[in-house]
Amino acid sequence: MSAGALISEAEFKLSMRQLAGAVSVITVGDGQDRSGFTATSVSSFSAERPSVIVSVNRASSSWPLLQRYGCFCVNVLAADQQQVAQSFAGFDGRKGAERYNGAEWYCLKTGAAALENALTVLDCELETVLHHHSHAVLIGHIRAIEIRQGIGPLLYWQGGYHELPVEDHRRILAKPLRQ
Ligand SMILES: Cc1cc2nc3c(=O)[nH]c(=O)nc-3n(C[C@H](O)[C@H](O)[C@H](O)COP(=O)(O)O)c2cc1C
């Protein structure tokens, strides 16, 4: 437990294991000068000025690229994209541009890489950065969006990847869309 902390890091991690999250891959940079990371910290921020927030560890390889390029893509992963999540979490030892191998990518508006067949892609201009201890909160203004229909999300819960049962997401997707 660090000085002044009321709860331990271990206790915090146990609590966070209970928080189910959608899994996204944040891409940043260009050509060989690129990296990215798997993230569950993505959240909707504002519809009026379409924007999202993401928190990033400033020790990660993506941080200097985010500062330099000023844009990123949030690729929300579909249930069949667990391999991409593993790669961008660094679990298979791949670094930087190598993490992009084995999946198809394209560009929308900002130049950051959009993942083919992601559940949704949010192409963002980095508008605001809030620094807090080891991490930064990024506010991204969305410049372009792609949406894939017909498949459920990849979820992270209790330290592992999960999918909604096929029957559940079929039933949910069968409901008429409400704006
Ligand atoms: C499910 C999951 C969610 C994660 N969420 C975040 C996140 O929101 N922000 C973050 O900075 N790192 C997050 N990470 C860790 C990064 O993906 C990982 O540390 C990063 O890819 C490695 O940094 P590197 O590029 O310096 O090797 C998460 C990892 C996993 C497996």
Side-chain angles (χ1 to χ4, degrees):
M1 207 182 293
S2 67
L6 295 175
I7 55 130
S8 68
E9 196 174 318
E11 204 178 0
F12 173 75
K13 284 182 178 169
L14 275 177
S15 169
M16 288 301 102
R17 283 171 67 87
Q18 305 282 47
L19 182 65
V23 183
S24 298
V25 158
I26 313 302
T27 50
V28 58
D30 187 34
Q32 285 308 301
D33 189 33
R34 61 182 167 166
S35 190
F37 61 102
T38 297
T40 47
S41 60
V42 174
S43 186
S44 165
F45 189 60
S46 161
E48 204 170 288
R49 182 172 177 80
S51 44
V52 284
I53 55 178
V54 187
S55 69
V56 60
N57 190 327
R58 285 187 287 163
S60 78
S61 63
S62 298
W63 172 241
L65 298 171
L66 285 160
Q67 290 174 291
R68 196 139 38 86
Y69 282 84
C71 57
F72 60 90
C73 262
V74 174
N75 300 281
V76 180
L77 299 186
D80 59 0
Q81 293 176 316
Q82 192 177 316
Q83 216 34 59
V84 187
Q86 287 292 85
S87 185
F88 279 81
F91 288 157
D92 57 6
R94 286 200 259 165
K95 297 270 177 207
E98 284 175 344
R99 291 181 180 163
Y100 290 73
N101 297 343
E104 299 295 318
W105 305 91
Y106 63 101
C107 282
L108 288 164
K109 256 208 171 111
T110 70
L115 174 64
E116 199 72 59
N117 290 324
L119 203 56
T120 188
V121 179
L122 306 161
D123 189 16
C124 299
E125 209 174 275
L126 178 56
E127 204 161 55
T128 304
V129 179
L130 306 170
H131 298 265
H132 188 73
H133 296 267
S134 55
H135 281 64
V137 175
L138 315 174
I139 302 180
H141 179 206
I142 302 165
R143 309 319 306 262
I145 282 181
E146 283 290 325
I147 296 170
R148 172 184 177 189
Q149 298 287 2
I151 187 162
L154 182 66
L155 303 174
Y156 196 76
W157 183 63
Q158 292 291 348
Y161 296 99
H162 302 274
E163 298 176 20
L164 286 177
V166 172
E167 281 315 311
D168 283 3
H169 72 69
R170 283 215 183 111
R171 186 170 40 77
I172 293 163
L173 289 168
K175 284 190 189 155
L177 276 180
R178 260 188 270 137
Q179 297 283 316

